[in-house]
Amino acid sequence: MPRYCLDLDTPAAGFIDSFLIGNGWLGATLGGGVGTERFALNLDTVWSGGPLQPEADEGPSRLIPELREAIRRRDYLRADELGRALQGKAWTQSYQPLGAVELTYADADATGYARRLDLAEAVAHTSCGAVGLQSFVSNPDAVLVATATGQGVLTLDRVGMAFVSPHPDTHISLSEEHGIRWLVATARVAAHVVPNYVPSEEPIRYDAAAPAADDTVATGMGYAVVVAVERDSDTGGLRLIASAASGYRGHDQRPSADFAALVVEARARVAAALEIGTNELRQRHRDDYRRFFDRVELDLSASGPVAERAELLFHFGRYLMISSSRPGTEASNLQGIWNVDVRPAWSSNYTININTQMNYWPAEATGLADLHTPMFKLTRELAEAGAVTARRYYGAAGATAHHNADLWRFTAPVPGIPQWSNWPAGLYWMAAHLQHHIDHGGAAEGFAAETALPVFRTATEFALDMLVDDGAGGLVASPSTSPEHSFVVGDAKVAITAGTAMDQELIRETLENFVGLADPTDPLAVRAHAALGRLRLPVIGAAGNLLEWDDDKTPHELGHRHLSHLYGLYPGIRITETGTPEAFEAVRRALALRLDNGTGYTGWSQAWVLCLAARLRDRDLAERSISGLLDHLTSRALLVLHPHDGWPEGNVFQIDGNFGAVAGLTELVVQSHEGAISLMKTLPPSWTGGAITNIRCRGGHQASVSWQEGRLTLAAVLAGRDGEIVVDLPDGEVAVTDPSGPVAVRLVTGAAAGRRRLAWSGKVATRYAISPR
């Protein structure tokens, strides 16, 4: 099988075996049918619902003093009762499908069937006998392009073209003009969709009210799909070109249902693309896509087929990111930009207690910092919307966001179980990505002051108002929960306490990041600095394991899928092997306890295990984690899965697992969080030979490394700025050179057992080669 290609020999049996193509905002799901392709379409801005409306009553913040007192008394049953009273009444909205274009382009013939997703070109191929179909979604030209070629392709008058809509009252028209067959579909999405896990007598509701005079609606935006099919002069076959337009006008603006205007917008894109030859459209698409894909390389071909599967997973995850997140788009949701269900699993929303953040874990290191920007926009707008939530629910300054968000920037606690509803720390975690961007040297001028600092300010204001004295002079967050997990009191499951490990880690990061960016004389920075001196660290238990809560509480599920209490090791950077050895060992023990009891049973959870294994230098665990992902938690189409007995296919695709896997695979070879660029820390035993190139590191540097038989053969660092460069390597004598010759290096402290650290004075844009003596 060629590198970068995913090859399958049968059509998709369902969604999770489909090929996904996209340009960041327009997505298509392809089943690879024999002679007929079904293009299930999505737009990143098409969601149910509409802008949030202010709530009339004063809110439940008056309950906070009583809740804190119940926590102080360790009356966790009462705390749970009060926590439920602190929840809101509304749910997030759901990401919506547009419908599917069905194109019959050849008489059915399954002879020699094959389909391929070329990750290097971002093109899907289906072949049946002598007929082939190639499909891609172009970012430069904003269209889906599909071309059918070969003996047996139907003539234009015999082509079958239809639109299958999941929404009622869809208007579909077919016409032919100047040898081009046109299909136009318009509809409105649901006004409200109840999450799939919530029982409801009316789970999906559409709004039949006519648009206002300006063609806007309160809920249920409109959209248009326009498709053209013609003979293709470049290939001699058939060519389909399609695009779509959404009525979204901003998260705080009434959406449009002006179908005429939406059709004009979508048709203009299609008409412009029809004027361009297929070969040129594909070349423009290729050039645009490759400027992202070619930035980084991982080659494990020297290690054999087991490692090559991991390599393909790495490149597939990068492919998905380029295809679902671009500057100016919405951030990738639980399924990126691909969804075929009106009532999708977990609303296909932004779940910000792990999943949305994991979507962007690999962005900086794999050279895709510019694709990180949609998350920054989401974070900034949640910080603005969350100010009302902070006041209403906590009587606090600043802003907060809970575990669910959506297109409309929902930030309130949803009605439900406290273990997931009553977690007010989402904004801290989202904001951490702003600092990651700064640390990796990819931030544009003004980013820190204009984008990051205001978010950290409002998150810090909220954090300071959430901290209380723990009775021993320390500060802890109260109320505090650990995402989606509960502890046991008698026969009851409860979740609300003070000072959970994750909240303490997130608040520490938030305060440190704000202090690092703010004017030191800023009164808020002074307060934050003082709070940092008193902030209690996560607790190590009697058995030497890092605890999830504020003491040795009994977990409800020893093998819980979330690894929230281990945040300080990954994705956080506070806990390191040589800097905090006691906490490092406590994380190792805590992870072993989780693993012994079955954690990692969802794809995204196993990806988190992989990232933790990389930081722990646990090569065997890394190997097992990769195998667990590839053998049990990915579909044939490499989509990472969340097992779900209640779902038709028995599994739900969650894209965060794909992205988390890329982050973990990268960290096995290159890390940069300990004040050094660390190379080859956790090579799995099967990775006997290979190379990785142009990994972005903190400090703005880039690192490349190759190895054979598990030993370094060559490494390089491209300096991102002037100043000291520290490289952490396996033990052994090496020489460092730049283009002018040998470089004077010195040994520095801080290396773990079996490793050494070298430092030298670097100059920006200079490439330094490191080779064994």
Side-chain angles (χ1 to χ4, degrees), residues 576 672-678 698 724-728 748 757:
T576 64
S672 64
H673 65 288
E674 299 174 281
I677 299 168
S678 299
R698 288 173 174 83
E724 184 178 66
I725 295 174
V726 181
V727 175
D728 185 292
V748 294
R757 287 191 174 188

Side-chain angles (χ1 to χ4, degrees), residues 199-217:
S200 174
E201 294 181 359
E202 190 181 24
I204 302 169
R205 176 173 55 81
Y206 287 86
D207 187 352
D214 62 355
D215 289 312
T216 64
V217 292

Side-chain angles (χ1 to χ4, degrees), residues 464-655:
L464 292 174
D465 278 1
M466 291 295 285
L467 293 174
V468 301
D469 192 293
D470 68 353
L475 292 176
V476 292
S478 181
S480 178
T481 62
S482 191
E484 304 198 23
H485 201 191
S486 56
F487 55 93
V488 177
V489 173
D491 295 329
K493 292 190 302 180
V494 294
I496 302 176
T497 181
T500 63
M502 170 164 271
D503 282 4
Q504 296 299 109
E505 295 281 13
L506 289 171
I507 289 174
R508 175 171 293 278
E509 270 194 359
T510 298
L511 300 184
E512 287 178 345
N513 292 337
F514 175 68
V515 168
L517 293 175
D519 182 330
T521 64
D522 183 326
L524 186 65
V526 173
R527 287 179 60 205
H529 186 271
L532 279 167
R534 296 178 57 199
L535 195 66
R536 193 179 71 191
L537 292 173
V539 179
I540 297 174
N545 57 305
L546 195 74
L547 301 183
E548 187 164 2
W549 294 281
D550 50 329
D551 57 24
D552 237 327
K553 292 176 165 58
T554 302
H556 172 251
E557 186 183 348
L558 286 171
H560 195 262
R561 62 195 175 276
H562 282 255
L563 301 162
S564 307
H565 52 316
L566 310 185
Y567 178 96
L569 181 71
Y570 190 94
I573 61 175
R574 182 184 70 82
I575 297 174
T576 64
E577 185 172 6
T578 58
T580 56
E582 185 181 8
F584 185 84
E585 182 59 29
V587 168
R588 187 189 301 279
R589 294 187 180 192
L591 179 59
L593 181 63
R594 274 287 214 270
L595 290 166
D596 288 346
N597 288 277
T599 197
Y601 55 86
T602 71
W604 62 262
S605 179
Q606 190 61 245
W608 200 349
V609 172
L610 175 60
C611 294
L612 291 164
R615 292 275 172 97
L616 288 169
R617 286 207 291 156
D618 192 328
R619 301 170 68 234
D620 293 331
L621 176 57
E623 189 93 83
R624 292 197 303 273
S625 183
I626 295 167
S627 296
L629 279 166
L630 288 168
D631 295 341
H632 305 292
L633 292 166
T634 55
S635 70
R636 292 192 307 141
L638 277 186
L639 303 182
V640 175
L641 305 174
H642 188 303
H644 193 313
D645 291 340
W647 214 249
E649 295 179 84
N651 289 281
V652 174
F653 165 50
Q654 279 195 219
I655 203 168

